[in-house]
Amino acid sequence: MLQKPIQEAQFEIGGEIGRRLAAVTRQWLLPAPYANPGMLEMFRQRDREPSHDLVPWAGEFAGKYLTHAVQIWRLTRDTELGEHLRWFVGELIDLQDEDGYLGPWPEAHRLRKGAPNCPRSNDDPSEPWDAWGHYHAMVGL
């Protein structure tokens, strides 16, 4: 039995919610990667010496940003945001290493304890949250 194709939901959101979605798009989503270039640059410079000072969850930022932006785009279908997302996704994909790694840590610290420059203490090294960073990137993509 053939099933009818599922029609994609479309929304036209106006009023206060529409104004807020537009404000979030113009004042946060579009400028954020330019105002905080480290969101992507940390992936580009992961093997740079000396290592950057990062929080263990730094690799999550790009994926969380992308998830948020995609959800707003799905509600609004904002053309400018759609183009922006195509750019951002292209940049993120270009930053994936040959082995599939998509995070901010140098090779010796990927998915391991003791991420450089973010230890809790000498006895309890901080763990890079690479699995979560990869999870957030996949959800966003």
Side-chain angles (χ1 to χ4, degrees):
M1 176 164 84
L2 293 174
Q3 294 182 351
K4 291 182 182 179
I6 297 173
Q7 296 295 319
E8 191 170 310
Q10 294 183 5
F11 303 92
E12 188 171 324
I13 301 172
E16 184 60 25
I17 298 298
R19 284 189 292 280
R20 288 178 184 250
L21 288 170
V24 165
T25 299
R26 300 288 170 263
Q27 297 174 27
W28 163 241
L29 295 175
L30 296 174
Y34 304 105
N36 182 8
M39 189 185 313
L40 291 171
E41 194 63 23
M42 72 176 84
F43 293 80
R44 188 172 284 110
Q45 295 185 7
R46 63 180 152 244
D47 293 314
R48 174 185 169 270
E49 291 291 334
S51 296
H52 288 286
D53 292 336
L54 299 173
V55 294
W57 52 89
E60 294 183 6
F61 300 151
K64 286 182 174 182
Y65 167 80
L66 185 57
T67 299
H68 172 84
V70 167
Q71 293 301 320
I72 298 293
W73 178 80
R74 291 179 76 188
L75 285 172
T76 65
R77 300 296 180 185
D78 182 283
T79 305
E80 187 177 4
L81 181 56
E83 288 298 317
H84 176 77
L85 285 169
R86 279 186 273 288
W87 165 79
F88 189 87
V89 167
E91 290 290 312
L92 187 59
I93 289 170
D94 284 348
L95 295 170
Q96 186 173 24
D97 207 351
E98 290 178 9
D99 64 1
Y101 180 73
L102 189 59
W105 305 112
E107 191 169 350
H109 297 281
R110 295 177 184 178
L111 301 168
R112 296 177 176 91
K113 277 192 168 191
N117 293 337
C118 63
R120 290 185 198 152
S121 72
N122 290 336
D123 298 327
D124 183 21
S126 182
E127 293 185 46
W129 297 18
D130 273 351
W132 285 109
H134 284 79
Y135 163 81
H136 287 292
M138 287 187 285
V139 168
L141 292 169

